[in-house]
Amino acid sequence: MFFVAGAKNILDKKKAVTALQAGEDRAILLGLGMILCSVMMYFVLGITILRSYADSVWTEEGVCVVLNSTVTADMNCSYNCGSDCWRVSKYPCLQVYVSVNNTGHVSRLSHNEETQDASSECFYVPRCQKDSVAMHTMIMNISQRLKANQQVPCYYDPSEQRETVLLTRLYDHNVVVHSLLWPSCMLTGGALIIVMVKLTQYLSRLCEEIGKINR
């Protein structure tokens, strides 16, 4: 009876140790998975947001005084009307000229980097749609708001290689910080999980060695 009870205790201990090791293995795999996901997120951010942020020359923030805001011409655009179907619509080209930091130097204002790449003349390029009247109304509302504000924050190229200034940037400092926050938290959490598991294993072995010495 004594031997049966002892054997049962040994089996129970082995089962407990096996379950503990399995849980530790799963925790380590979870930590490694979180680290791997964070690395992939860093890679994606590096080739999208961080690259665009680093390549942008409009890095200095200033105050732009609106000098002129007028519609110059109608621009053609194409919208999707179905499978393999494209039709032409029109939107007004709004040109805005500003003076940066009251220097007297006149520059053309563009909405952001995407607008600058899409059109070198127009302040804003709306999403093309069938209703050209709606696009015209949108552009005129933007023009009226710019005229009413007179002074707006803007971004310019300090090296003065690009004469165009931007009203907003696609990815400013705050966007970059917030985009890096989640992968950084995931990386830190995964590393902490692995460190805690390894620390628990070390303390467990230390307790076993101390128990053997005391015996």
Side-chain angles (χ1 to χ4, degrees):
M1 189 72 179
F2 174 77
F3 292 107
V4 173
K8 185 177 180 182
N9 290 333
I10 293 173
L11 290 174
D12 291 340
K13 288 181 179 180
K14 286 184 177 180
K15 289 181 181 179
V17 170
T18 302
L20 181 61
Q21 289 177 346
E24 291 174 346
D25 292 340
R26 285 194 292 268
I28 291 178
L29 288 176
L30 174 62
L32 292 174
M34 293 173 65
I35 293 175
L36 180 60
C37 289
S38 65
V39 171
M40 294 176 63
M41 292 173 67
Y42 278 129
F43 175 75
V44 173
L45 292 173
I47 62 176
T48 54
I49 295 178
L50 295 180
R51 184 176 180 179
S52 299
Y53 176 79
D55 291 343
S56 178
V57 298
W58 295 276
T59 56
E60 292 293 328
E61 186 174 1
V63 177
C64 287
V65 178
V66 179
L67 302 177
N68 190 17
S69 175
T70 56
V71 173
T72 58
D74 287 335
M75 306 295 290
N76 292 328
C77 65
S78 57
Y79 64 93
N80 192 343
C81 55
S83 178
D84 296 329
C85 173
W86 294 91
R87 291 183 179 177
V88 177
S89 185
K90 290 185 177 182
Y91 67 91
C93 178
L94 175 65
Q95 289 188 345
V96 181
Y97 291 93
V98 296
S99 174
V100 182
N101 295 331
N102 290 320
T103 58
H105 179 70
V106 179
S107 302
R108 189 178 61 82
L109 183 66
S110 188
H111 183 239
N112 54 32
E113 291 93 340
E114 280 188 349
T115 305
Q116 172 63 23
D117 294 337
S119 173
S120 59
E121 298 296 330
C122 304
F123 166 76
Y124 180 72
V125 178
R127 183 177 178 273
C128 193
Q129 53 183 303
K130 180 180 180 180
D131 190 357
S132 59
V133 176
M135 291 191 291
H136 184 275
T137 302
M138 179 193 305
I139 296 297
M140 296 308 298
N141 288 337
I142 293 174
S143 178
Q144 292 298 324
R145 285 199 296 268
L146 289 173
K147 290 178 180 178
N149 291 331
Q150 288 295 314
Q151 291 187 351
V152 292
C154 59
Y155 297 89
Y156 62 94
D157 179 9
S159 64
E160 298 183 353
Q161 295 180 357
R162 303 293 294 269
E163 293 185 357
T164 307
V165 296
L166 302 182
L167 180 64
T168 60
R169 295 182 64 185
L170 281 175
Y171 307 115
D172 58 9
H173 179 72
N174 291 330
V175 173
V176 172
V177 171
H178 283 92
S179 64
L180 293 176
L181 179 62
W182 289 111
S184 298
C185 291
M186 185 175 293
L187 177 64
T188 304
L192 284 176
I193 289 174
I194 294 176
V195 169
M196 292 299 293
V197 171
K198 292 298 182 181
L199 180 61
T200 302
Q201 291 175 345
Y202 170 75
L203 293 176
S204 178
R205 288 194 298 268
L206 186 62
C207 290
E208 290 180 0
E209 292 176 359
I210 293 175
K212 290 179 181 179
I213 293 174
N214 292 335
R215 289 174 187 174

